[in-house]
Amino acid sequence: MNKLQTGWLYTLTGAVSAVSLAACMPASKPYNIVYIMTDDHTAQMMSCYDNRYIETPNLDRIANDGVRFVNSFVANSLSGPSRACMFTGKHTCGNKFYDNTTCVFDGSQQTFPKILRENGYQTAVIGKWHLESLPTGFDYWEVVPGQGDYFNPDFITMNNDTVVRKGYITNLITDMSIDWMENRRNKEKPFCLFIHHKAIHRNWLPEIKNLALYEDKTFPLPDNFYDDYKGRPAAASQEMSIFKDMDLIYDLKMLKEGKDLSYIERMDADDRKAFDTFYAPIIEDFYKRDLKGKELAEWKYQRYMRDYAKVVKSLDDNVGRVLDYLKEKDMLDNTLVVYTSDQGFYMGEHGWFDKRFMYEESMHTPLIMHLPKGLDARGDITELVQNIDYGPTILDLAGISLPEDMHGISMLPLLKGEHPVNWRKALYYHFYEYPAEHMVKRHYGVRTERYKLIHFYNDIDVWELYDLKNDPAEMYNIYGQPGTEEVTAELKTTLLDLQQQYNDPVRFGPERDKE
Ligand code: CA
C-alpha cells in the first residue's frame, strides 16, 4: 500500500463516516490543494473581513461557502521570512531565513511541498517566490525574480532562463496556473499548486482597464491616522509613514520630467499612453495645489487607498477565474482552496503603510478556505492559528504523518468543525530586519487571545503590553502600569516557554544569560 492509500484510510477512519465518504470520494482520489497567496493583502481590504472600503465578491465566495479564520497570524511579518515559515512549518529561528536583505533560503532543508512530493503528490509554484535561491521540491515552477514587475514581467523558468511574459502580472500568474492544472500536470496524481501573486505589493500599479475605478470614492481615515506614538518609542522611530515616507513619484505616480520612470518603462506603448492620459490631469492638479501638512497627508492617503483597491480588483477577478475553472472541471468537491497573504498591511492605521510590526494589522493575515467534501466546518474559526500551521494542515489532509521538528500544528480538526480543548493559547512572533528599509526595530513577543507582550531589542530595550479587549488599536502601552504585574509575569513565562520550545536563541532574562 502506498502512502497515499494509507492517507486515504486515515481520512476514512478519522472524521467522516464511511457512508458519506463513499458517496463523495472514491478511494483512489485524495484531496487536491490550490493554495493562493497574495503579497501584502490585508484583511481590511477584503469585504468578507471588513466592509468599510471595497467589495471583493470572489474572495467573499470562498469565505461565504467555506471558513473564515478571524485569529490568523504570521510568525514574522515580512515577505521572504513569512514564506520560509510557511513552506517549512517552522519559525524563523528554525528555517534561518531571517530577513529579505541578507538571507538566501537553504533549499536543501525540509519543506512540506517536498514531503508531499515524496508521498505521491505533484507540486507546483507559479508567481512570486522571493526566497533568493531557486525553488526546490516542486515538479513544476516558474517564478518572478525578486519582487517582480506588474507589466510585462520577467519570469525565471525551470531551465534557469529568464523570459518576458506579455501582460499584467496577476492575469499572467492565473493564466499559467490554470494552464498547469489543465495541460501540464499528470491528471492521475493528486496535486498541490501554489499560486503566488505579486499583487498587492508596493507600488500598487493597477491594470490599465481598472485605472478609473474608485476615483470618485473618498475613503474614511482610520481613527488613529494621526497617532502621536506616545509611550511607544519603536513606533515613533519607524519610516513607514504615509505622510513622510510614501514616495510621490514611485508610490503615487506623480511623475515629473527627469525623474526615474523605470517602473512604467516595461509597459507596452498603448498601455503607457492610457496610463499617461489618465494621470496627466491628476499630476497637474497635484503640483498646482502645492499641498502641505494634513492636506498633503490626506491626499496621499486617498491616492494610496485608490491604487491599492484597483490592484485588489484584478486579484479578486482572477481568484474568481480559478474558482470558476475548478467548478467547471467539477473539482471543487475534492479540492481544498486556501486564500491567504504573506502578511497583513497598514491602510493608514497609525498613519502607516507597510507591515513588519507585531501590531495587529500586520501580524494578522487573512485566511479563508473553500473546504472539500468531508470537511464540515463552516463560518468563522476563532482559534489562534499561524502560517507555520499551513504545512502541517496540508500534510495531515493528505494523510501524511507530520515531521516532529515542525513547529506548526495541523488545523485539520478545526476544518472538521472540532474545537480541541487543548488548542494552543499563545502565538510567538519574531521580526529581525533592522536596520533596514522602514527602520522597524527588532522585536519578539507573544500574543494570547486577549493580550500582547512585545520586547523591542538590539539598539533599544523597550517592553510593550496591550490589552486587546480594551485597546484593539494598540494605542496604550500599559507595560509597567500598576495592576499589570500578574499578567505581565504570566506572559513573560509563556514567552520564555515558547522561545525554549522553538529553540530561539534570542531570549531574555536568566536563560539568555546562560547562553
Ligand atoms: Ca509581503
Side-chain angles (χ1 to χ4, degrees):
M1 183 178 284
N2 66 31
K3 287 179 181 171
L4 279 176
Q5 287 166 324
T6 312
W8 156 241
L9 283 180
Y10 172 89
T11 309
L12 181 64
T13 53
V16 277
S17 74
V19 174
S20 66
L21 205 53
C24 66
M25 251 183 59
S28 59
K29 223 177 168 193
Y31 294 121
N32 299 315
I33 299 101
V34 173
Y35 175 94
I36 307 172
M37 185 164 75
T38 33
D39 196 343
D40 296 355
H41 191 192
T42 194
Q44 300 96 296
M45 300 299 271
M46 292 169 66
S47 45
C48 52
Y49 276 104
D50 191 330
N51 57 20
R52 288 175 298 170
Y53 301 126
I54 58 171
E55 295 297 320
T56 49
N58 291 297
L59 293 168
D60 294 4
R61 279 163 70 185
I62 298 176
N64 292 341
D65 298 339
V67 291
R68 179 183 79 146
F69 287 82
V70 295
N71 283 306
S72 158
F73 299 90
V74 293
N76 185 345
S77 185
L78 188 65
S79 176
S82 173
R83 289 156 206 271
C85 291
M86 187 275 286
F87 277 129
T88 60
K90 292 177 182 173
H91 279 282
T92 302
C93 58
N95 64 55
K96 311 292 184 194
F97 194 95
Y98 296 100
D99 59 57
N100 284 336
T101 49
T102 64
C103 295
V104 175
F105 185 70
D106 173 7
S108 69
Q109 68 184 294
Q110 169 185 278
T111 63
F112 82 86
K114 284 184 185 175
I115 300 171
L116 281 172
R117 198 176 175 207
E118 286 160 7
N119 284 273
Y121 266 75
Q122 285 174 96
T123 55
V125 59
I126 294 166
K128 184 167 175 181
W129 175 248
H130 212 202
L131 289 173
E132 302 305 323
S133 53
L134 293 178
T136 56
F138 298 95
D139 294 285
Y140 182 82
W141 57 265
E142 190 161 326
V143 297
V144 296
Q147 299 286 5
D149 285 289
Y150 276 107
F151 285 88
N152 299 331
D154 288 342
F155 279 84
I156 307 169
T157 70
M158 291 180 74
N159 302 326
N160 205 6
D161 293 332
T162 299
V163 297
V164 180
R165 300 223 175 265
K166 301 290 275 182
Y168 185 72
I169 193 163
T170 311
N171 301 332
L172 289 169
I173 289 170
T174 307
D175 292 344
M176 293 157 69
S177 298
I178 291 175
D179 178 59
W180 183 79
M181 287 191 283
E182 182 62 19
N183 301 314
R184 291 173 180 263
R185 69 186 171 99
N186 176 350
K187 290 186 178 169
E188 301 303 310
K189 295 171 81 175
F191 70 88
C192 182
L193 167 62
F194 297 82
I195 306 174
H196 283 195
H197 286 288
K198 174 198 171 55
I200 327 297
H201 195 276
R202 192 184 187 185
N203 63 344
W204 318 291
L205 210 51
E207 194 174 356
I208 296 298
K209 71 177 184 182
N210 292 332
L211 275 171
L213 287 180
Y214 302 108
E215 284 298 317
D216 56 353
K217 186 172 172 74
T218 301
F219 292 89
L221 277 184
D223 292 340
N224 59 357
F225 185 77
Y226 292 111
D227 191 352
D228 63 2
Y229 313 117
K230 189 180 169 197
R232 292 157 289 148
S237 67
Q238 47 58 45
E239 295 178 0
M240 47 192 261
S241 153
I242 291 174
F243 177 51
K244 287 188 297 183
D245 304 305
M246 185 174 278
D247 191 272
L248 285 166
I249 308 273
Y250 175 71
D251 291 316
L252 299 180
K253 297 94 182 170
M254 293 299 103
L255 304 173
K256 273 181 163 176
E257 223 170 306
K259 292 280 185 177
D260 177 22
L261 306 178
S262 62
Y263 69 85
I264 53 170
E265 280 173 0
R266 299 184 76 95
M267 286 182 190
D268 288 342
D270 287 353
D271 286 349
R272 177 65 198 273
K273 192 174 169 200
F275 182 91
D276 288 342
T277 302
F278 172 79
Y279 270 106
I282 300 172
I283 293 171
E284 187 187 350
D285 177 66
F286 172 71
Y287 286 110
K288 194 166 69 188
R289 288 165 70 188
D290 193 24
L291 300 170
K292 300 275 193 296
K294 283 189 173 184
E295 278 191 336
L296 177 60
E298 292 177 25
W299 181 92
K300 290 175 84 172
Y301 170 76
Q302 294 299 337
R303 292 251 43 99
Y304 164 50
M305 293 293 282
R306 287 172 187 156
D307 285 357
Y308 190 106
K310 294 171 195 182
V311 179
V312 172
K313 174 69 169 78
S314 295
L315 182 275
D316 187 73
D317 289 346
N318 277 286
V319 169
R321 290 178 60 209
V322 172
L323 295 175
D324 290 345
Y325 171 79
L326 294 171
K327 187 176 179 189
E328 180 192 317
K329 298 293 173 180
D330 204 19
M331 292 164 69
L332 280 172
D333 283 352
N334 192 44
T335 303
L336 172 72
V337 183
V338 178
Y339 181 85
T340 188
S341 172
D342 64 343
Q343 82 298 296
F345 214 69
Y346 295 90
M347 305 308 299
E349 299 88 357
H350 304 286
W352 297 338
F353 65 108
D354 212 69
K355 55 265 184 177
R356 296 160 198 267
F357 278 107
M358 194 187 166
Y359 301 135
E360 287 295 273
E361 289 82 357
S362 48
M363 184 185 178
H364 184 261
T365 200
L367 180 64
I368 53 178
M369 297 183 191
H370 157 84
L371 301 181
K373 277 193 176 169
L375 299 181
D376 296 331
R378 293 293 180 273
D380 284 356
I381 293 178
T382 59
E383 279 83 355
L384 292 172
V385 303
Q386 207 160 19
N387 58 341
I388 54 171
D389 301 333
Y390 301 173
T393 304
I394 290 170
L395 292 177
D396 202 4
L397 183 74
I400 300 164
S401 55
L402 309 184
E404 285 187 1
D405 61 348
M406 276 192 179
H407 296 157
I409 54 180
S410 169
M411 300 183 283
L412 193 58
L414 308 179
L415 303 184
K416 292 173 178 172
E418 298 166 8
H419 300 281
V421 290
N422 60 347
W423 192 260
R424 70 153 78 84
K425 301 287 186 272
L427 297 174
Y428 183 60
Y429 182 92
H430 198 154
F431 173 83
Y432 301 77
E433 192 178 275
Y434 177 87
E437 190 177 19
H438 299 302
M439 296 301 278
V440 173
K441 307 278 191 191
R442 295 182 195 184
H443 59 291
Y444 54 78
V446 62
R447 188 200 191 278
T448 64
E449 187 186 345
R450 175 156 178 187
Y451 293 101
K452 189 182 289 179
L453 179 73
I454 311 174
H455 184 211
F456 291 92
Y457 70 98
N458 186 239
D459 61 352
I460 185 174
D461 182 10
V462 173
W463 288 87
E464 297 186 4
L465 173 64
Y466 297 97
D467 178 348
L468 299 169
K469 184 177 171 190
N470 293 321
D471 177 26
E474 296 160 304
M475 297 293 286
Y476 304 101
N477 173 16
I478 56 172
Y479 183 85
Q481 290 193 3
T484 61
E485 297 84 355
E486 196 176 331
V487 69
T488 302
E490 283 173 15
L491 288 164
K492 282 192 175 177
T493 300
T494 304
L495 179 56
L496 197 53
D497 286 348
L498 290 174
Q499 288 182 321
Q500 285 170 333
Q501 179 187 334
Y502 300 136
N503 197 25
D504 189 338
V506 181
R507 295 178 193 150
F508 62 95
E511 285 302 312
R512 183 185 62 182
D513 296 338
K514 278 188 226 159
E515 287 169 354

